[in-house]
Amino acid sequence: MDQVELKEYLIKLREDAQTNIFKHTEYNFNDPTTLSKMNLRAFFTLHRMAHPNLNNILREKGFLSLANCSPHIMDTLNKIIHHLSKEVSTPYLKHEYIDVHIANSLKEERKDHLFGKTINQKHIMVTLDRKMLNTPEVFNDLLQAGMTIARINCAHDDLTVWKKMIQSLKMAEETYHARGVRNNSTCKIFIDLPGPKIRIGQIVPSKNKKGMTDSFIKIKKNDMLRIYKNDKYIGIPKTDNVPASVGVTLPKALRNVRIGDRVYIDDGKIVAKVLSNTEEYIETKILLTRKKEETIYPENGINFPDSLVHLNVPTVSESDLKILKSMYKDIDLVGISYINHPKDIQIVKHQLEMLTEDKKGIIAKIETKNAILSLSKIIMEGLNYGLFGVMIARGDLVIEIGLKQFLSAQEGILEICHAAHIPVIWATGVLENMNKKNIPSIPELTDVHAGLRADCIMFNKGPYVPNSIEFLQKLNEINQDPQFHVRNSLVSFVQYDF
């Protein structure tokens, strides 16, 4: 493709993108929400219609790849056409599309509005644990290290524990403000609604290796496991004649389970396959375990990625709405777990508007296949709400879509959010080894460096989380320093005597 052919091709591509934009989006260039919607539509149009080798062709001609321009894609396309033609030959003026500066300022504005303002620091979300109530100084340590958002996972514990954790955090924060150590910005409170998470039910107690009574089932590769469609069923270990069995907390979620469907237990530590499906139970065979022998406990998560679970259970349950009703006064952000559809945002929005005039942030947790397929519609609805962000909830997501597709899905979610100028939370497994042992692994360093592209990073529990926060902020400083900035740099490192 020579220069003239490239110019004509890009003009045609631009015309198609503009047709799609104005076909679906109201013409209002003064509204930031509309501008983001227009850019997102342009992004998808160009990705759907562009020549598969277009980015390589552009690089050969000395232009920036469109893959690096998702937040301001039409403005970049206009500029490339202008440089190719050496004259202004566009049917719309340049200021009608988001440019680099507007895209950056719009994203920063939304991030500050949703998470609060920080000065050259990455927003850090930390999952609170009821054990912290026994050592309240942990809240001080987390605040001092740089935690800006505290997460409460409402799938565990109860209202009394959640309120106590918030109270302890507020007391620690008051101490910091009184000392002048911390500025007047407050640590945001984020609640994670449980959503339709399927969990293992109760298990008959038995003696563990230490001689103490505990509830668990041991399982190995090639063992059979029966999963009863009963939330009152008490699980039992295997015997000579009967395989191990468990109940589940959401039996109606299993209505569409078919023979051959995959089953993942405890974040994929145990992988099974459905062999038969009766009215009473599902018979599965254990295909893979991470250890020679794995342990199943009550409340372990269980995933059925092939079984269309979302068709049988609502994303936002009555229980979720009750939690929201009890917690809304104490919180700033609400996470919608296992979101599948824009209507899930509408349900939470409606409940919040009934409860309070104060606007609370809504976070869409992307962790299912259906959420990925509906991501653009979810984001469009989130843009309508305004105070909105996306969490890449990688723990369940990797199980739902599989290891082979996970990395491309993770990158795709991030890029789509950038195209819509939506704040992103990078969640699950970040510096997990360092949180527990105070030493990061090399793969963790690679992962956390990739996560710095997000607006907020979430840490789970562990005794060394404050150290992990400080370590991450140092990495963020280095990442922002042009002398040491590796990503997308022409000069990767400063070289001695060169």
Side-chain angles (χ1 to χ4, degrees), residues 5 14 52 73 114 192 338 369 386 393 417 432:
E5 289 173 330
R14 182 183 60 192
I73 200 156
L114 185 65
D192 215 328
Y338 308 101
K369 285 180 185 176
C417 291
E432 200 75 12

Side-chain angles (χ1 to χ4, degrees), residues 366-414:
I366 308 302
E367 49 195 333
T368 66
K369 285 180 185 176
N370 206 56
I372 291 177
L373 296 174
S374 304
L375 183 57
S376 57
K377 291 181 180 178
I378 289 168
I379 287 175
M380 289 289 192
E381 186 60 41
L383 284 166
N384 289 337
Y385 180 71
L387 203 59
F388 174 75
V390 161
M391 177 185 284
I392 309 177
R394 304 184 301 164
D396 278 285
L397 182 62
V398 70
I399 293 170
E400 285 282 319
I401 66 174
L403 294 170
K404 294 176 183 176
Q405 296 186 56
F406 170 68
L407 289 177
S408 59
Q410 175 179 272
E411 294 301 305
I413 295 167
L414 193 64

Side-chain angles (χ1 to χ4, degrees), residues 12 24 79 118 142 168 192 240 248 306 314 338 367 419 428-429:
K12 176 65 170 62
H24 295 96
K79 286 173 179 173
T118 61
L142 290 171
S168 297
D192 215 328
D240 292 339
V248 291
D306 306 320
Y338 308 101
E367 49 195 333
T428 318

